[in-house]
Amino acid sequence: VMARQSKTPTIADVATAAGVSISTVSRVVRDHTDVSAPTRAVVLAAIDRMGYHPSSIARALVSGRSQTIGLLVSDITNPFYPQLAKSVEREAARHGYRVIMSNTDDSVEETKELLSRLIAHGIDGIVHASVGVDEELVRDSLEERIPLVFTNRRPQSTTANFVVADNELGARRLAQHMVQLGHRRLGFIGGPAFAANAQERLRGFRSVMSDSGLDSDLVAEAGFDIESGRQVARQWLIGPNRPSAIIGVNDLVTLGAMEAALEIGLRIPADVAMAGFDDIQLASSTLIGLTSVSQHIDRMGQRAVQVLLELMEEPAPDEPIQEILLPTLRIRRSTESTEVVRLTETSGG
Amino acid sequence: VMARQSKTPTIADVATAAGVSISTVSRVVRDHTDVSAPTRAVVLAAIDRMGYHPSSIARALVSGRSQTIGLLVSDITNPFYPQLAKSVEREAARHGYRVIMSNTDDSVEETKELLSRLIAHGIDGIVHASVGVDEELVRDSLEERIPLVFTNRRPQSTTANFVVADNELGARRLAQHMVQLGHRRLGFIGGPAFAANAQERLRGFRSVMSDSGLDSDLVAEAGFDIESGRQVARQWLIGPNRPSAIIGVNDLVTLGAMEAALEIGLRIPADVAMAGFDDIQLASSTLIGLTSVSQHIDRMGQRAVQVLLELMEEPAPDEPIQEILLPTLRIRRSTESTEVVRLTETSGG
DNA sequence: GTGAAAGCGCTAACAG
DNA sequence: CTGTTAGCGCTTTCAC
């Protein structure tokens, strides 16, 4: 018989050391009732002494559940996602789940690859917060075997589960705010065409424009990043008939637009007002003071996990769970002026 | 015999469907050589048809390796960490590894809890990028059983593996830059006392001060966040004998300091120059233009993973792997002035 | 209360 | 080239 030291101890090692059977150790570990106090004490002592950790791998194999969920984000370096990731992790941890996060870069190829890995990994569910055109792929890959909840973007499918913000409403609030400030020529720097949330925001913008009898010809399709915003805004701002207000599809894009304005020498909001979407931490900084729409990221992430957990329960809900959170307008320096007329409906926190 | 549909197929199911043994399927899956072309074709067809994914849980159980590494960060909402996380993930994925990321909030308690979970999860290694006073705990918990590489902060232990930036040098460069610009009264907003990287930066600052015959009495202990920076800077800037230059322990803190300056009505850099550490994306934005020290986060994350992989190889290296990356000073508007004397050594990318 | 035995899905010798 | 046989570390009946 070989005595192997320093290897991480197994339940069998503990059983031997404690002079009991494997089943007994298992019962103690799982806080099962039918164990006498003295036995339990002996076992616990052995566990503590040997530094035993039950293998969740083995546990997962026998139970069929890995206590792990997957989180798909577009790009963790976009400040929106870390906030989401944190709330997802916190809520997952609260329920004993681990999170494997992956960046899809909004690429279908990448998503396919990642899904395959996640499935192989035996994850129990997926929170999909990325916005690429991968919905069918995702649903197909999972083949109804793995609970899935979309967040951040609302899926096409009417039977999918999701927790999203009302993007259209948010954008409408933003546009209305601008119109009430007296702006008549507004530009909207949209995200990529494939992003459903971006399209919803665009729709909100357009509806206000048309309701107000204004042109919505100043609409650009771009990325979700700073550079995209800067380039589009630069074109608009150095060209003829420039907009007096620009709304970005998200805060990052709007930050880029602000850069462009400053580089050109325009003042915000005096020469051009700016507003974004997401209400990232920086937006509220005195340095920036960006008017934005909060999607209540923390709540969104938390709810997404809660919904996923419901989905994983037995029996699974037979109706899809779909939640739409109300966004909140946050007015700041980038649009404020002395003539501002605050909408009472948007003054709430 | 019950026919269960819709369950995710196992290797046995595939074997049955393909009319071969389990081992054969296993060989095909693992791209093993000894399989005839026709057999392989049949098996692959079955795999494809059934949508079979090998269970990495089972694989992990038998092989003892989960192909998963843990990443400990302080707080993913600090922009430094997403960049690190992304490079870690990318490099890990390149080698077939998944990453489980956890936020420690620099709490020893939390770290303890997380480690226990990660170990139970059967991770093959850990990249520790958090900065709390948990070094002993971490090393004890792992009991030499799990490869570990520290990054971001340099550990006390001389036998630990790490990939870090030369924080002291970086801070020195920053301070020298300020001194050469003519500043004689400098303040350093440090991070918490428990953070080793923060202490190294402080040391660098102090050494330049003393070399230049200047006082380094203006040093504060604070958090790593914006609010910390703002509060400290505010005190200094409204008080008597205010500093003409402030260096923050990281960019977030410095952003807070900048907020304070603006709120008070001071101009940057005319009234007070500012510089930070990390060179987060925003630092280079035209909106901010913050002088900062780049730790080359991408390379750091990548190297950390590479080192970890080396550590996981058999045989394990008998010498600790320790790497110190050279930081780079990035000079921007927050310190620039017409009188600026550029250090040639810092002009490189 | 406690132990023995079967098996989760897979890999790794070892036979043929 | 292919199949058979042990387990990996655990949970879970089922006995005692």
Side-chain angles (χ1 to χ4, degrees):
Chain A
V1 229
M2 285 181 51
R4 49 251 160 91
Q5 311 278 47
S6 84
K7 273 284 296 173
T8 139
T10 73
I11 194 172
D13 298 333
V14 175
T16 306
V20 297
S21 76
I22 290 181
S23 333
T24 300
V25 177
S26 176
R27 286 192 188 95
V28 172
V29 168
R30 284 172 302 136
D31 256 332
H32 202 303
T33 41
D34 296 341
V35 185
S36 71
T39 307
R40 159 170 277 116
V42 173
V43 173
L44 285 176
I47 286 177
D48 197 52
R49 174 160 29 90
M50 312 174 72
Y52 166 77
H53 293 271
S55 153
S56 44
I57 302 270
R59 222 172 233 187
L61 185 60
V62 56
S63 71
R65 337 197 77 251
S66 64
Q67 300 286 106
T68 305
I69 64 177
L71 170 63
L72 259 32
V73 300
S74 295
D75 176 6
I76 189 69
T77 63
N78 172 340
F80 168 79
Y81 290 108
Q83 288 181 245
L84 183 72
K86 200 172 186 187
S87 67
V88 165
E89 276 205 61
R90 183 180 297 131
E91 189 64 15
R94 245 175 34 86
H95 297 274
Y97 282 80
R98 286 169 287 266
V99 177
I100 294 188
M101 188 185 66
S102 307
N103 296 70
T104 66
D105 288 324
D106 288 335
S107 142
V108 177
E109 266 316 297
E110 192 61 23
T111 305
K112 191 169 179 176
E113 174 64 22
L114 289 172
L115 276 178
S116 165
R117 293 168 96 87
L118 288 174
I119 292 172
H121 190 87
I123 49 157
D124 298 334
I126 290 190
V127 173
H128 192 332
S130 178
V131 294
V133 274
D134 51 15
E135 184 180 335
E136 285 184 37
L137 165 71
V138 174
R139 290 169 56 86
D140 283 0
S141 300
L142 269 36
E143 283 169 23
E144 323 264 324
R145 296 180 302 209
I146 298 178
L148 166 68
V149 52
F150 287 92
T151 187
N152 185 27
R153 70 110 169 250
R154 178 173 177 163
Q156 302 281 305
S157 161
T158 54
T159 60
N161 309 287
F162 60 79
V163 177
V164 298
D166 190 331
N167 286 296
E168 190 169 336
L169 176 62
R172 213 150 46 208
R173 289 251 212 279
L174 234 31
Q176 281 164 348
H177 170 59
M178 291 293 196
V179 169
Q180 298 207 13
L181 285 173
H183 294 285
R184 288 296 172 264
R185 180 142 180 80
L186 317 201
F188 184 86
I189 308 181
F194 63 72
N197 54 356
Q199 294 314 305
E200 289 166 18
R201 291 172 199 175
L202 173 56
R203 207 177 309 135
F205 171 78
R206 285 218 158 102
S207 80
V208 171
M209 291 300 97
S210 96
D211 289 356
S212 314
L214 300 174
D215 276 348
S216 56
D217 58 306
L218 224 47
V219 166
E221 188 180 313
F224 279 122
D225 58 317
I226 290 191
E227 201 43 39
S228 297
R230 170 208 236 103
Q231 282 171 11
V232 172
R234 184 175 179 77
Q235 288 305 314
W236 288 351
L237 295 175
I238 60 177
N241 195 15
R242 68 170 154 82
S244 70
I246 292 181
I247 297 176
V249 71
N250 70 5
D251 288 344
L252 232 37
V253 163
T254 312
L255 249 27
M258 291 173 82
E259 288 186 1
L262 290 188
E263 285 160 17
I264 293 169
L266 297 175
R267 307 206 49 186
I268 302 169
D271 300 318
V272 55
M274 298 273 179
F277 211 104
D278 282 352
D279 194 31
I280 60 176
Q281 276 172 25
L282 209 74
S284 58
S285 161
T286 324
L287 298 175
I288 309 288
L290 175 63
T291 292
S292 188
V293 171
S294 166
Q295 321 193 37
H296 305 291
I297 308 182
D298 289 349
R299 204 185 309 155
M300 201 163 84
Q302 183 182 31
R303 278 305 296 156
V305 171
Q306 290 171 350
V307 167
L308 188 60
L309 292 175
E310 284 183 52
L311 257 25
M312 293 174 356
E313 273 171 7
E314 297 292 354
D318 34 58
E319 292 288 297
I321 307 180
Q322 311 186 323
E323 296 188 4
I324 299 180
L325 306 177
L326 285 185
T328 305
L329 182 59
R330 312 267 192 213
I331 298 175
R332 304 206 178 87
R333 288 206 323 276
S334 69
T335 59
E336 246 167 4
S337 86
T338 47
E339 328 159 53
V340 68
V341 180
R342 295 260 183 142
L343 299 174
T344 46
E345 59 176 322
T346 59
S347 62
Chain B
V1 230
M2 286 180 51
R4 50 254 162 89
Q5 311 280 47
S6 84
K7 273 283 297 172
T8 139
T10 74
I11 195 171
D13 298 332
V14 176
T16 307
V20 297
S21 77
I22 290 182
S23 338
T24 300
V25 177
S26 175
R27 286 190 188 97
V28 171
V29 168
R30 285 174 299 139
D31 256 331
H32 204 301
T33 40
D34 299 339
V35 184
S36 71
T39 307
R40 159 168 276 118
V42 173
V43 173
L44 285 175
I47 287 177
D48 197 52
R49 174 159 29 89
M50 312 174 72
Y52 165 77
H53 292 270
S55 153
S56 44
I57 301 271
R59 224 172 231 185
L61 185 59
V62 56
S63 71
R65 337 197 76 250
S66 63
Q67 300 286 106
T68 305
I69 63 177
L71 171 63
L72 259 32
V73 301
S74 296
D75 175 6
I76 190 68
T77 64
N78 172 340
F80 168 79
Y81 290 107
Q83 289 182 244
L84 184 73
K86 201 172 185 186
S87 66
V88 165
E89 276 205 63
R90 183 180 298 131
E91 189 64 14
R94 246 175 34 85
H95 297 274
Y97 282 80
R98 286 168 286 267
V99 177
I100 295 188
M101 188 185 67
S102 306
N103 295 69
T104 66
D105 289 324
D106 287 335
S107 142
V108 176
E109 266 314 296
E110 191 61 22
T111 304
K112 191 169 180 176
E113 174 64 23
L114 290 172
L115 275 178
S116 164
R117 293 168 95 88
L118 288 174
I119 292 172
H121 190 88
I123 50 159
D124 299 333
I126 291 190
V127 173
H128 191 332
S130 178
V131 295
V133 275
D134 51 15
E135 184 180 335
E136 283 184 38
L137 165 71
V138 173
R139 290 168 56 86
D140 283 0
S141 300
L142 269 35
E143 285 170 21
E144 323 263 325
R145 295 180 304 209
I146 298 179
L148 165 68
V149 52
F150 286 92
T151 188
N152 186 26
R153 71 108 169 251
R154 177 173 178 162
Q156 303 280 307
S157 160
T158 55
T159 60
N161 308 287
F162 61 77
V163 176
V164 299
D166 190 331
N167 286 297
E168 190 169 334
L169 176 62
R172 214 149 45 207
R173 289 250 212 281
L174 233 32
Q176 281 164 350
H177 171 59
M178 291 294 198
V179 170
Q180 298 208 13
L181 285 172
H183 294 286
R184 290 295 171 265
R185 179 140 181 83
L186 316 201
F188 184 86
I189 308 181
F194 63 72
N197 53 356
Q199 294 314 303
E200 290 167 18
R201 291 173 199 175
L202 173 56
R203 208 176 309 135
F205 172 79
R206 284 216 158 104
S207 79
V208 171
M209 289 301 97
S210 94
D211 289 355
S212 314
L214 300 173
D215 275 349
S216 56
D217 59 305
L218 224 48
V219 166
E221 188 179 313
F224 279 121
D225 58 317
I226 291 191
E227 201 43 39
S228 298
R230 169 207 238 103
Q231 282 171 9
V232 171
R234 185 175 179 78
Q235 288 305 315
W236 288 352
L237 295 175
I238 60 177
N241 195 15
R242 68 170 153 82
S244 70
I246 293 181
I247 297 176
V249 71
N250 70 6
D251 288 344
L252 232 38
V253 163
T254 312
L255 249 27
M258 291 173 82
E259 288 186 0
L262 290 188
E263 285 161 16
I264 293 169
L266 298 175
R267 307 207 49 186
I268 301 169
D271 299 318
V272 55
M274 298 272 179
F277 212 104
D278 282 352
D279 194 31
I280 61 176
Q281 276 172 27
L282 209 73
S284 58
S285 161
T286 324
L287 297 175
I288 307 289
L290 174 63
T291 292
S292 188
V293 171
S294 166
Q295 321 193 37
H296 305 289
I297 309 183
D298 289 349
R299 204 184 309 156
M300 200 162 85
Q302 184 182 31
R303 279 305 297 157
V305 171
Q306 289 171 350
V307 166
L308 188 60
L309 292 175
E310 284 182 53
L311 256 25
M312 292 173 359
E313 274 171 9
E314 298 291 352
D318 33 58
E319 292 287 297
I321 306 180
Q322 311 187 324
E323 296 188 5
I324 299 180
L325 306 178
L326 285 184
T328 305
L329 181 60
R330 312 266 192 216
I331 298 174
R332 304 206 179 87
R333 288 207 321 278
S334 69
T335 59
E336 246 167 4
S337 85
T338 47
E339 329 158 54
V340 68
V341 180
R342 294 259 184 142
L343 300 174
T344 48
E345 60 176 323
T346 61
S347 63

